[in-house]
Amino acid sequence: MIPYSRQKIEEDDIQAVVDVLRSDYITTGPRIAEFEKRVADYVGAGYAVAVANGTAALHAACFAAGIAPGDEVITTPITFAASANCIMYCGGRPVFADIDPKTYNIDPEDIKRKITDKTKAVIPVHLAGQPCDMDAIQKIAEEYHLLVIEDGAHALGSEYKGKRIGSISDMTTFSFHPVKPITTGEGGIIVTDKEELYQKLCLFRSHGITREDSLMTRNEGPWFYQQMELGYNYRITDVQCALGCSQMNKLDKFLERRRELARRYHRAFQDCPDIIVPYQLHDANSGWHLYIIQVLHCDRKNVFETLREKGIGVNVHYIPVYYHPYYREHGYQEVCCPNAEKLYEQMISIPLHPSLSNGQQDYIIQTIKDTLGNL
Ligand SMILES: *Cc1c(COP(=O)(O)O)cnc(C)c1O
């Protein structure tokens, strides 16, 4: 099966991990700060806090944003459940705004319609690596005094109007799960320019505990520390961050290959009457985490099963979050975002990752065309 995505690990990645295993630190050591600096510098942010995974990054960001019971936070239904779960972790209530049917990203106009006096923040998700309309979202956030937390799990290296994702909003989170643009096995990071948020994120990552004089109420000696908040153990390890540093060396190469493969898909499918290819934003440069097509005039399930039978690891990103039984049971049974629901019926993610060969891609293209032609 050709997977829809997968990690690309080479000998130098392996060597970097082995070197750490032979060093003094395998949990919290020097590699963490090094990896944080690499990511912060790359995206153009002042601070970065690396954590155990992308979901922990979102949880930490919601905590630092002060999300608490009674607060509402607006996000998209076409995302992985974690983008909404993180709000629930803090006792807040996710409110789903519909997507723009062209870009598949959250529609700023619908964000506006969903704002109430309880709304505290917005979590836009750059689906597939395509940047959201951040100018419009920032404008709304300023007008209504909302924090913006970008879920950039798909968007490390994506650019919006010449700016890298991670340099725009109050906070941006990334994931380093093996299917994402680079990997640390499990891992995540939050970037921000605000020192106050950075301090909260650092506390949250490690039990709410600090040893810093400036943050403690008193200091009884060299052994002393204080717990200031209810934090978690969301720490990442030096072993993971060594892999992360090594992967950062290759990010631009990975992105280049993803963009080339996306162009090849685009050329192959743009004239097919049964396929809608991803919309090409003119003012953004996607990192192409996913290549999502819509299949028309056919039964999506049938196409999906046929492609899987032919060894093509297609997937669907995503089931609208509020369709899940947990959400249905928590007051979302009446929620309806028509554009999201229509997209969900027709969408298929086809393989796209840096190690996909042109030959494999040609096979995928031909098989999709044959399958749609024969149904
Ligand atoms: C992968 C992903 C996450 C969660 O990241 P993990 O590292 O798997 O916890 C959150 N949001 C989106 C959109 C994702 O794709």
Side-chain angles (χ1 to χ4, degrees):
M1 184 82 77
I2 303 170
Y4 84 85
S5 186
R6 65 159 288 154
Q7 72 279 11
K8 180 167 181 168
I9 301 289
E10 297 167 303
E11 272 315 307
D12 54 340
D13 297 304
I14 293 166
Q15 193 55 49
V17 169
V18 169
D19 289 347
V20 167
L21 289 173
R22 295 208 168 95
S23 78
D24 290 338
Y25 297 96
I26 57 170
T27 56
T28 303
R31 292 296 181 195
I32 296 176
E34 186 187 333
F35 181 54
E36 288 170 339
K37 183 157 178 9
R38 288 291 298 273
V39 175
D41 288 350
Y42 185 87
V43 303
Y47 304 94
V49 180
V51 293
N53 53 66
T55 305
L58 283 163
H59 186 188
C62 285
F63 167 83
I67 305 305
D71 294 338
E72 292 178 357
V73 179
I74 299 173
T75 191
T76 170
I78 298 294
T79 185
F80 184 55
S83 315
N85 291 345
C86 60
I87 303 160
M88 294 254 199
Y89 294 158
C90 296
R93 189 145 184 88
V95 172
F96 296 101
D98 206 353
I99 56 157
D100 174 338
K102 220 164 51 189
T103 65
Y104 313 160
N105 278 327
I106 195 165
D107 176 4
E109 286 306 311
D110 207 42
I111 293 179
K112 235 172 167 169
R113 282 190 284 270
K114 301 279 162 75
I115 289 173
T116 70
D117 53 11
K118 294 179 184 162
T119 310
K120 190 120 181 209
V122 187
I123 304 183
V125 180
H126 307 294
L127 186 76
Q130 292 257 48
C132 295
D133 185 351
M134 291 312 300
D135 280 353
I137 292 169
Q138 289 294 347
K139 193 156 161 266
I140 293 166
E142 269 166 42
E143 187 178 340
Y144 294 91
H145 307 288
L146 311 176
L147 260 100
V148 179
I149 301 166
E150 293 173 53
D151 181 344
H154 300 181
L156 184 65
S158 293
E159 291 162 24
Y160 173 77
K161 297 191 176 172
K163 284 181 283 194
R164 286 214 172 110
I165 297 301
S167 64
I168 300 169
S169 299
D170 299 291
M171 286 178 276
T172 302
T173 66
F174 297 102
S175 163
F176 307 117
H177 180 276
V179 299
K180 305 293 161 76
I182 63 161
T183 190
T184 60
E186 295 282 357
I189 206 164
I190 315 100
V191 297
T192 182
D193 271 337
K194 301 203 164 117
E195 196 191 345
E196 188 197 335
L197 294 173
Y198 171 70
Q199 301 282 12
K200 286 187 184 158
L201 295 167
C202 289
L203 280 176
F204 193 73
R205 165 172 63 181
S206 199
H207 310 282
I209 285 174
T210 185
R211 290 175 181 276
E212 276 191 41
D213 256 336
S214 61
L215 299 178
M216 293 195 291
T217 57
R218 63 173 192 281
N219 191 347
E220 296 178 3
W223 68 89
F224 204 64
Y225 58 83
Q226 283 185 328
Q227 184 190 333
M228 315 308 290
E229 303 276 1
L230 187 59
Y232 289 73
N233 178 353
Y234 276 164
R235 292 188 303 264
I236 193 167
T237 67
D238 252 38
V239 179
Q240 292 166 302
C241 287
L243 179 55
C245 289
S246 176
Q247 290 266 297
M248 278 303 286
N249 295 335
K250 300 146 190 232
L251 175 57
D252 284 334
K253 249 193 325 202
F254 289 171
L255 289 166
E256 197 182 312
R257 179 61 181 155
R258 283 179 177 277
R259 286 172 178 144
E260 187 183 331
L261 288 163
R263 278 193 297 273
R264 291 182 92 243
Y265 271 143
H266 210 74
R267 276 200 298 273
F269 292 134
Q270 62 187 348
D271 297 324
C272 290
D274 301 325
I275 294 176
I276 298 177
V277 295
Y279 184 73
Q280 306 272 318
L281 295 162
H282 66 275
D283 54 1
N285 191 7
S286 174
W288 292 105
H289 166 58
L290 299 171
Y291 196 88
I292 298 172
I293 59 171
Q294 289 189 68
V295 290
L296 311 176
H297 324 118
C298 63
D299 176 16
R300 189 261 309 261
K301 185 163 179 246
N302 203 330
V303 174
F304 191 98
E305 285 170 347
T306 306
L307 293 174
R308 281 268 179 104
E309 277 161 25
K310 300 205 159 153
I312 301 173
V314 286
N315 224 308
V316 171
H317 298 97
Y318 288 94
I319 303 157
V321 174
Y322 58 79
Y323 276 1
H324 290 296
Y326 178 83
Y327 279 86
R328 286 306 201 208
E329 286 157 19
H330 284 79
Y332 291 81
Q333 56 276 56
E334 304 294 323
V335 174
C336 176
C337 295
N339 296 334
E341 293 181 13
K342 178 152 185 280
L343 174 66
Y344 168 60
E345 299 297 326
Q346 301 181 160
M347 73 198 314
I348 298 182
S349 302
I350 62 177
L352 178 61
H353 54 84
S355 348
L356 191 71
S357 70
N358 286 3
Q360 285 176 315
Q361 190 182 33
D362 291 341
Y363 170 73
I364 295 163
I365 290 165
Q366 199 50 53
T367 308
I368 291 173
K369 285 185 174 173
D370 291 348
T371 303
L372 288 170
N374 293 334
L375 286 173

